[in-house]
Amino acid sequence: DIDAVGLFRGDELLGYLDAVDYREGGLCGSERANTMTDATRAKGAPDARVDSGFVSLGGGYLIGEFEPRTELVAGDVVVVYEVGRLCGPDRRCEGRNEGYEVFVAEDLDCANVGNGYPYPPCAVAVGEGLMGEGRIEVPAF
């Protein structure tokens, strides 16, 4: 469950996701449909609560661009605000931390290259095996 994604250079906040899209992953199944698929919930600053204000991946993926469109450089830090034990302004959410991976690409069109899942060939993995709120340093490309 993703509340927001921020981009930092040192201590300076460069921006949060502005343009977002979501692709269903099918993990919830027909007996328990995923009702939290509104990708716009991951735009902007963290603001989720344990039961609202986030997009639930359900095995799918969230694609986004930072505002303003900022070029990533080695050493930048991507912070994923996953709704789990922490969420939004409530630092004691006490939910369950869930895993996710982070990839970077040149633009949103990358998601439509190849079959796009689990990730397109134009994306580079920068964070794998993450749980809960995560800080990922962007490597040199």
Side-chain angles (χ1 to χ4, degrees), residues 110-129:
C110 176
N112 299 315
V113 174
N115 68 4
Y117 192 81
Y119 58 90
C122 55
V124 175
V126 295
E128 300 179 78

Side-chain angles (χ1 to χ4, degrees), residues 18 33-34 40-41 50 71 88 91 94 118 123 140:
D18 182 46
N34 184 359
T40 63
R41 302 285 172 111
V50 71
E71 182 176 338
R91 305 310 289 172
E94 300 180 21

Side-chain angles (χ1 to χ4, degrees), residues 34-92:
N34 184 359
T35 60
M36 305 297 281
T37 60
D38 180 358
T40 63
R41 302 285 172 111
K43 288 173 68 170
D47 62 356
R49 301 199 189 299
V50 71
D51 60 353
S52 66
F54 56 85
V55 59
S56 180
L57 300 182
Y61 58 95
L62 179 69
I63 306 155
E65 287 182 331
F66 292 104
E67 45 97 2
R69 292 185 183 172
T70 304
E71 182 176 338
L72 294 174
V73 299
D76 284 352
V77 175
V78 175
V79 177
V80 177
Y81 298 92
E82 193 263 343
V83 177
R85 293 178 192 221
L86 306 175
C87 61
D90 184 353
R91 305 310 289 172
R92 298 168 287 107

